[in-house]
Amino acid sequence: MTKKSLTSQTTIFIFDSGLGGITIYNYIKNIFLNINFIYLLDNKYFPYGSKSKNFILQRLIRILQKISLYHDISLVIIACNTASITSLPELKEYFSFPIIGVTPVIDLAIKKTKNKVIGFLATNTTLQNYKIKNKINLLKEKYIIKIISSPKLVFLAEQKLLGYKIILSKIKKIFFPWYRLKIFPDTIILGCTHFPLIINELKIILPKNIKFLDAKKYITYKFKKIIKYNKNLLDIKKNIVYYTKINKDIGKIKNIFLKKNFHIFKKLKT
Ligand code: DGL
């Protein structure tokens, strides 16, 4: 894979079903300056958590085809575990620009756990994926893996960022099955980019000293491998947000992105 030439404009396209990809953007936005970011939230079909592989793959192909008509993309970041785990290999085959994506950091959790009890939070589609299922089955001999798939958690995280009041007891209820465990997970995989948005709430309702792991560091490593830093690159920031549906929250969504240095808002017809 060739690094972007020093003279060309660097445009990173970040994709998520909703606002979860912001947790990835927050992390990478300051690594290199003078990069244009385009963020697309597919709010027309949010959430992706129970959608089929075929639906997600076709949807992503359609979106990437459209976006690449308007923009010269340097790198695509699928900032959605559900979309990456179902579609990443096929998307890489299909498009000529580099595509990377976040996936649940199971191997990292194995390295970090001391009590060998790992919690795994992800969407249903992610957890039902054969690669994830196979991996969990292999690990079951040596580790206890406690799984929670909750669309409610994704919804609550999205609501929190939109400024709605979220009630802690609703999150607590989702974790009820874990409160009966003899040994609580000392390591929890945040296998959905929405979950870091409610990390403070999780820290309040769960026991202390749990390590929460997500794919931020991994994506940064991949990102640096593909995008070359060029401090001479002259560029006026023109970050764009695309959404796929106008709904009652669109004003709030725009405000969130305005604070994050996005100033252009467009609806993508798909
Ligand atoms: N943020 C997404 C993920 O990382 C998906 C949330 C959803 O749309 O259900 O899996």
Side-chain angles (χ1 to χ4, degrees), residues 16-18 20 46-49 79-83 102 123 126 154 191-194:
D16 186 29
S17 56
F46 173 83
Y48 272 21
C80 171
N81 290 262
T82 314
V102 289
T123 66
T126 298
V154 175
C192 168
T193 49
H194 277 76

Side-chain angles (χ1 to χ4, degrees), residues 117-121 144-148 177-178 181 183-185 187-188:
V117 184
I118 297 171
F120 188 178
L121 311 179
I144 298 172
I145 318 268
K146 300 310 293 181
I147 283 165
I148 289 184
W178 285 11
L181 294 175
I183 311 172
F184 211 88
T187 306
I188 295 180

Side-chain angles (χ1 to χ4, degrees), residues 84-227:
S84 299
I85 206 77
T86 52
S87 311
L88 205 52
E90 289 89 341
L91 291 175
K92 282 182 178 171
E93 282 280 309
Y94 201 98
F95 293 99
S96 57
F97 39 72
I99 307 180
I100 57 176
V102 289
T103 48
V105 287
I106 303 175
D107 292 335
L108 183 63
I110 292 164
K111 279 190 203 145
K112 297 278 179 191
T113 182
K114 295 220 160 58
N115 70 3
K116 294 188 188 298
V117 184
I118 297 171
F120 188 178
L121 311 179
T123 66
N124 197 39
T125 299
T126 298
L127 293 165
Q128 289 307 316
N129 179 268
Y130 73 97
K131 282 174 267 179
I132 296 286
K133 273 187 153 179
N134 288 350
K135 189 140 197 172
I136 291 174
N137 280 338
L138 283 175
L139 292 173
K140 271 184 182 162
E141 284 176 21
K142 286 192 183 162
Y143 302 88
I144 298 172
I145 318 268
K146 300 310 293 181
I147 283 165
I148 289 184
S149 141
S150 168
K152 264 193 202 141
L153 213 52
V154 175
F155 181 73
L156 288 169
E158 185 98 354
Q159 291 284 296
K160 183 193 165 185
L161 197 60
L162 287 169
Y164 293 104
K165 197 172 157 35
I166 59 161
I167 300 161
L168 270 184
S169 60
K170 283 195 180 167
I171 302 183
K172 220 172 171 176
K173 210 168 166 187
I174 294 167
F175 288 87
F176 268 178
W178 285 11
Y179 292 126
R180 287 188 221 107
L181 294 175
K182 283 199 188 100
I183 311 172
F184 211 88
D186 66 350
T187 306
I188 295 180
I189 301 164
L190 300 179
C192 168
T193 49
H194 277 76
F195 298 155
L197 296 170
I198 47 164
I199 188 92
N200 290 337
E201 287 77 4
L202 294 179
K203 282 181 179 167
I204 294 171
I205 61 138
L206 297 175
K208 293 212 170 1
N209 299 325
I210 290 175
K211 289 182 271 305
F212 292 94
L213 306 176
D214 61 40
K216 285 194 299 267
K217 288 205 174 122
Y218 167 83
I219 214 76
T220 309
Y221 167 78
K222 285 261 176 184
F223 177 84
K224 284 184 177 167
K225 266 178 88 174
I226 295 167
I227 299 300

